């Protein structure tokens, strides 16, 4: 692989993707930037294909919308890694690869003699990025886990929700997405190191550590000041922001920023209550008695629509924002103007579907979705035959033997 610029940022890279839902987004990030990412699934398809939601709400291994999104731009093969012949084929593939990204339980690949220590003997330049629940070492290494467990043990759940209700989990699979982001970053850094020194390495990604490292002020306030953060609903930890109901939805408002301007605005509508009193000019008083300010702002917000308040705030250079539903996000004029949403063709359906687009923009090597997620075994002939050099008879034998 050359780091010289190509048509795509990652052109010429071959990546074998053995991930589950724990790391599929990592492969997508690399594939959408031009790497040749080959999704390796067991015969019959990956378990993540059974995860909904499904197109038209009809469960089907080729219609999982989550699988579609997390596997764009990849090619796909089937291969039974627990079969001796499958392991031989995978070793051939590993010789041709720059990176293997995997998300099996710790120790699984070692039992198959397909772990990093084994594969680097075949390909010293190989990088293996392992995304696991707790990493390759430590007392929790073999614990059962999921996204919910990672958020609970990583500290994020403890500070999410209201003070008088049990802790809440963030929507979706945020722990897996965070780990996938660090997986992609770690892979790219290992590739850069290989460019300088010529050798690959193992990148050990612990989802638990990824979550524990991303709780920002919760970490630093305790580690440096001994303060244990508490849940306080939508109120920012230092009372800077809060979500308020308004006439037609919800709005994010600042509580103290540009205080004089805010009070004048409320007063112009006769809604400032006692906030014009001199005592409220003291920031310490405002912070200590924030509940009163929240009550005054709450009554005022209910007289306006969310859009009115956001426009007014932006006019005053205050970072106020409508709490958008996904319907409003998809019609957001800024996202539409920048072409954020893209159409991806699904020939087997005779249609295109809308996908979220580029998370970053490159002036020379643009991001793009090169193809929709692969069908089960879609590229078996192409990769096993034309690229790996297996004969039609050998491929037929692998099929009949349940290897692919």
């Amino acid at each position: 692989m050359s780091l010289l610029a190509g048509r795509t940022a990652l052109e010429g890279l071959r990546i074998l993707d053995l991930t589950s839902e724990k790391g599929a987004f990592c492969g997508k990030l690399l594939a959408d930037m031009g790497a040749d990412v080959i999704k390796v699934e067991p015969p019959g398809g990956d378990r993540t294909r059974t995860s909904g939601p499904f197109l038209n709400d009809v469960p089907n291994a080729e219609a999982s919308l989550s699988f579609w999104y997390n596997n764009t731009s990849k090619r796909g093969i089937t291969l039974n890694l627990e079969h001796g012949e499958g392991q031989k084929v995978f070793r051939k593939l590993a010789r041709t690869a720059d990176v293997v990204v995997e998300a099996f339980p710790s120790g699984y690949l070692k039992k198959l003699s397909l772990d990093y220590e084994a594969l680097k003997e075949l390909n010293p330049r190989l990088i293996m990025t392992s995304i696991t629940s707790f990493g390759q070492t430590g007392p929790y290494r073999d614990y059962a886990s999921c996204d919910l467990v990672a958020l609970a043990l990583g500290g994020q759940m403890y500070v999410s929700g209201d003070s008088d209700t049990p802790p809440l989990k963030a929507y979706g699979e945020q722990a897996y997405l965070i780990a996938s982001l660090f997986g992609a970053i770690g892979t790219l850094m290992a590739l850069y190191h290989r460019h300088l020194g010529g050798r690959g390495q193992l990148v050990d990604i612990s989802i638990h550590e990824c979550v524990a490292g991303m709780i920002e002020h919760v970490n630093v306030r305790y580690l440096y000041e001994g303060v244990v953060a508490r849940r306080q609903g939508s109120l920012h930890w230092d009372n800077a922001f809060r979500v308020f109901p308004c006439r037609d939805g919800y709005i994010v408002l600042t509580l103290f920023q540009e205080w004089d301007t805010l009070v004048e605005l409320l007063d112009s509508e006769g809604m400032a209550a006692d906030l014009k009193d001199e005592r409220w000019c003291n920031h310490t008083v405002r912070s200590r008695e924030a509940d009163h300010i929240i009550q005054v702002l709450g009554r005022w917000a209910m007289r306006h629509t969310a859009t009115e308040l956001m426009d007014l705030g932006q006019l005053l250079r205050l970072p106020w924002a409508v709490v958008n539903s996904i319907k409003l996000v998809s019609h957001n004029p800024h996202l539409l103007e920048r072409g954020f949403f893209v159409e991806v063709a699904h020939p087997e359906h005779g249609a295109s579907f809308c996908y979220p687009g580029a998370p970053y923009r490159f002036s020379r090597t643009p991001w793009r979705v090169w193809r929709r997620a692969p069908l089960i075994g879609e590229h078996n002939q192409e990769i096993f035959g034309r690229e790996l050099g297996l004969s039609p008879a050998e491929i037929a034998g692998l099929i009949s033997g349940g290897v692919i």
Side-chain angles (χ1 to χ4, degrees), residues 159 161 215-222 225 227-243 255-256 283 287 290:
V159 291
I215 50 178
E216 44 120 66
H217 74 87
V218 177
N219 258 334
V220 297
R221 290 173 69 204
Y222 180 74
E225 299 177 334
V227 175
V228 177
R230 59 187 176 86
R231 294 185 298 283
Q232 49 187 47
S234 67
L235 182 63
H236 191 256
W237 71 269
D238 67 353
N239 298 336
F241 301 87
R242 187 182 187 276
V243 175
L255 269 62
F256 308 144
H283 180 79
S287 184

Side-chain angles (χ1 to χ4, degrees), residues 180-315:
S180 287
L181 288 170
F182 281 114
I185 293 168
T187 299
L188 293 175
M189 287 192 286
L191 283 166
Y192 183 73
H193 181 267
R194 189 187 75 173
H195 174 69
L196 299 176
R199 296 186 67 85
Q201 60 182 304
L202 174 66
V203 181
D204 177 7
I205 302 287
S206 157
I207 300 173
H208 184 210
E209 291 174 347
C210 290
V211 173
M214 292 293 286
I215 50 178
E216 44 120 66
H217 74 87
V218 177
N219 258 334
V220 297
R221 290 173 69 204
Y222 180 74
L223 295 175
Y224 303 150
E225 299 177 334
V227 175
V228 177
R230 59 187 176 86
R231 294 185 298 283
Q232 49 187 47
S234 67
L235 182 63
H236 191 256
W237 71 269
D238 67 353
N239 298 336
F241 301 87
R242 187 182 187 276
V243 175
F244 291 86
C246 56
R247 213 166 71 198
D248 62 347
Y250 293 91
I251 182 78
V252 177
L253 298 178
T254 51
L255 269 62
F256 308 144
Q257 189 172 341
E258 302 295 340
W259 177 255
D260 292 341
T261 301
L262 177 62
V263 173
E264 287 178 13
L265 181 61
L266 295 174
D267 190 46
S268 69
E269 299 181 29
M271 298 293 292
D274 63 347
L275 298 186
K276 293 174 65 179
D277 294 351
E278 188 68 20
R279 64 188 295 265
W280 293 107
C281 293
N282 185 309
H283 180 79
T284 302
V285 172
R286 293 200 299 263
S287 184
R288 187 180 63 227
E289 301 181 33
D291 286 348
H292 178 70
I293 298 172
I294 289 171
Q295 291 177 9
V296 175
L297 277 175
R299 288 194 293 269
W300 174 70
M302 286 302 295
R303 297 179 55 162
H304 297 274
T305 67
T307 301
E308 287 172 357
L309 291 171
M310 178 171 164
D311 291 345
L312 184 58
Q314 292 299 326
L315 184 65

Side-chain angles (χ1 to χ4, degrees), residues 37-39 41 49 61-62 67-68 71-77 371-379:
V37 178
I38 300 172
K39 174 77 174 172
E41 306 178 63
R49 290 180 177 274
E62 300 291 12
F67 186 91
W68 282 13
N71 292 283
T72 56
S73 303
K74 301 177 187 178
R75 296 192 291 169
I77 60 172
R371 60 171 65 86
R372 52 101 173 100
L375 306 178
I376 298 172
E378 181 175 358
H379 300 98

